[in-house]
DNA sequence: AATCGTTCCTGATAGC
DNA sequence: TGCTATCAGGAACGAT
């Protein structure tokens, strides 16, 4: 489940590995993942162009080309973008490899077990419009305590965990970090987002920043399928406090961690530490 | 307008 | 053993 820290790690890796390379060819065995256009059109629009920048917006990966086209990649649950020095179908027989950008030096492979991931082409100039409804980036300077307070006020009845996962409010937090952030902030996932005290808003703000920053430094959470652009695991799974820890003792107080469902998503928390 | 449920998909695991 | 059922989950979409 790539969330902000995982996507950030991949984007950093790709900027090191494939920037300024030309797309020589593209192959796909699952063109359903390509949105709006046919495989033939997709290929026509990208082959021969050079990658000039790779960036992240929320959980989206943007690969900007020198022909004013941007390739938008969303990894959804199990997507992986991994660079190879070999080429598609020549040496790679992994059945979950669905798409491959063949570059001047090696290739960029898109693996995806559950096939939810998508590829979309967009004019680079229309990126702002495309993401106009996306919320604030929690690692950017424009995300401050007052901004968070305003966002929580906007979602009156909503549950706090659903609120911080809502991409229209804050872009980048998914199911793993939502539970970890609420534990770090000592806030119960049962709380309504408009019922937080001033102190709780402050600690939630601090926890969002510190947990996400720490997860970026540790190169993401490999609890199942996530891998970086070299195919390596992250390390944050080693320091998870509550996610998938149900039945185990809370490291802070010894109370058994519980698993509940909020908004059709599994949620993990310490019923003693989180109020 | 906001919120809810459904859909996409495969692999791991539980239950019989 | 081998089968079926259930669950995991981001975000678009349709329905209310």
């Amino acid at each position: 489940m790539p969330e902000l820290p995982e996507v950030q790690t991949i984007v950093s890796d790709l900027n090191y590995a494939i920037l300024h390379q030309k797309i020589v060819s593209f192959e796909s065995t699952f063109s359903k993942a390509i949105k709006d256009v046919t495989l033939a059109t997709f290929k026509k629009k990208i082959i021969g162009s050079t990658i000039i920048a790779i960036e992240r917006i929320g959980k989206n990966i943007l690969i900007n080309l020198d022909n004013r086209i941007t390739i938008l990649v969303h990894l959804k649950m199990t997507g992986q973008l991994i660079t190879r020095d070999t080429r598609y179908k020549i040496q790679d027989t992994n059945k979950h490899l669905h798409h491959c950008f063949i570059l001047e030096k090696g290739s960029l492979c898109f693996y995806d077990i559950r096939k939810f991931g998508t590829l979309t082409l967009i004019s680079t100039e229309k990126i702002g419009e495309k993401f106009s409804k996306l919320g604030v980036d929690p690692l950017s300077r424009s995300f401050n305590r007052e901004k968070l307070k305003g966002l929580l006020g906007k979602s009156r009845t909503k549950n706090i965990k659903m609120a911080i996962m809502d991409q229209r409010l804050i872009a980048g937090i998914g199911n793993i970090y939502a539970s970890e952030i609420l534990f770090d902030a000592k806030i119960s996932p049962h709380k309504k987002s408009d019922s937080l005290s001033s102190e709780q808003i402050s600690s939630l703000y601090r926890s969002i920043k510190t947990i996400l920053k720490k997860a970026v430094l540790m190169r993401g959470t490999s609890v199942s399928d996530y891998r970086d652009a070299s195919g390596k695991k992250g390390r944050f799974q080693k320091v998870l406090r509550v996610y998938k820890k149900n039945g185990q003792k809370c490291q802070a107080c010894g109370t058994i961690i519980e698993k509940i469902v909020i908004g059709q998503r599994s949620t993990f928390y310490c019923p003693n530490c989180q109020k």
Side-chain angles (χ1 to χ4, degrees):
Chain A
M1 301 121 252
E3 304 179 27
L4 185 152
E6 291 75 30
V7 175
Q8 185 62 51
T9 301
I10 291 167
V11 165
S12 305
D13 287 356
L14 293 181
N15 267 305
Y16 179 77
I18 63 167
L19 203 59
H20 309 308
Q21 286 201 53
K22 186 185 280 188
I23 299 174
V24 174
S25 184
F26 177 78
E27 295 180 44
S28 176
T29 50
F30 186 64
S31 53
K32 201 177 173 183
I34 300 169
K35 299 316 217 185
D36 309 323
V37 295
T38 63
L39 172 59
T41 305
F42 187 88
K43 289 173 72 165
K44 200 174 167 184
K45 290 194 172 188
I46 63 165
I47 290 174
S49 293
T50 298
I51 298 165
I52 55 168
I54 302 156
E55 48 189 328
R56 175 187 66 76
I57 298 185
K59 301 177 195 171
N60 300 275
I61 297 168
L62 283 69
I63 302 173
N64 297 329
L65 306 180
D66 65 353
N67 64 346
R68 298 181 180 181
I69 294 275
T70 291
I71 304 166
L72 206 58
V73 183
H74 201 302
L75 300 172
K76 294 288 177 84
M77 245 78 93
T78 57
Q80 302 173 334
L81 273 185
I82 298 176
T83 52
R84 301 286 185 204
D85 32 1
T86 55
R87 292 180 172 188
Y88 191 34
K89 293 293 182 195
I90 297 172
Q91 292 187 358
D92 198 327
T93 53
N94 186 322
K95 68 169 175 174
H96 300 301
L97 172 56
H98 306 303
H99 322 281
C100 190
F101 299 88
I102 292 153
L103 308 171
E104 291 166 293
K105 301 169 194 166
S107 56
L108 177 63
C109 297
F110 191 157
Y111 301 81
D112 193 0
I113 293 171
R114 287 179 211 165
K115 294 179 161 178
F116 286 4
T118 57
L119 286 167
T120 312
L121 292 185
I122 182 174
S123 301
T124 305
E125 60 183 16
K126 288 188 176 166
I127 285 170
E129 189 185 326
K130 170 85 180 174
F131 293 111
S132 62
K133 289 189 175 143
L134 210 59
V136 63
D137 190 288
L139 293 187
S140 73
R141 277 196 183 173
S142 52
F143 182 66
N144 52 42
R145 188 195 173 282
E146 290 313 300
K147 176 83 182 173
L148 175 64
K149 188 179 177 181
L151 292 172
L152 296 181
K154 257 196 252 173
S155 59
R156 298 212 166 278
T157 59
K158 204 181 287 173
N159 170 278
I160 185 61
K161 189 203 172 212
M162 291 171 75
I164 62 172
M165 285 178 68
D166 187 338
Q167 303 303 298
R168 294 165 304 179
L169 300 179
I170 304 169
I173 299 172
N175 207 40
I176 297 174
Y177 295 109
S179 281
E180 293 297 316
I181 285 165
L182 290 180
F183 175 78
D184 192 69
K186 299 181 167 32
I187 295 169
S188 166
H190 291 293
K191 277 194 91 69
K192 298 289 179 197
S193 46
D194 63 350
S195 73
L196 269 62
S197 68
S198 182
E199 291 73 22
Q200 285 181 316
I201 292 174
S202 297
S203 64
L204 179 60
Y205 169 72
R206 281 196 303 272
S207 295
I208 288 172
K209 286 270 190 191
T210 56
I211 292 289
L212 294 178
K213 278 186 192 171
K214 187 176 176 189
V216 170
L217 284 173
M218 296 185 73
R219 302 185 58 79
T221 305
S222 292
V223 83
S224 59
D225 303 288
Y226 165 71
R227 297 293 182 277
D228 68 20
S230 308
K232 296 196 188 89
K233 290 184 179 185
R235 299 192 310 275
F236 199 80
Q237 68 277 9
K238 295 175 182 171
V239 297
L240 290 172
R241 297 290 185 252
V242 289
Y243 183 77
K244 284 197 175 169
K245 303 287 184 190
N246 48 315
Q248 299 182 34
K249 284 182 180 176
C250 170
Q251 292 174 31
C253 75
T255 304
I256 300 297
I257 301 297
E258 283 186 18
K259 176 184 175 179
I260 56 171
V261 174
I262 288 174
Q264 282 123 283
R265 294 286 176 262
S266 50
T267 303
F268 305 86
Y269 76 112
C270 172
N272 181 51
C273 288
Q274 295 175 249
K275 307 290 183 190

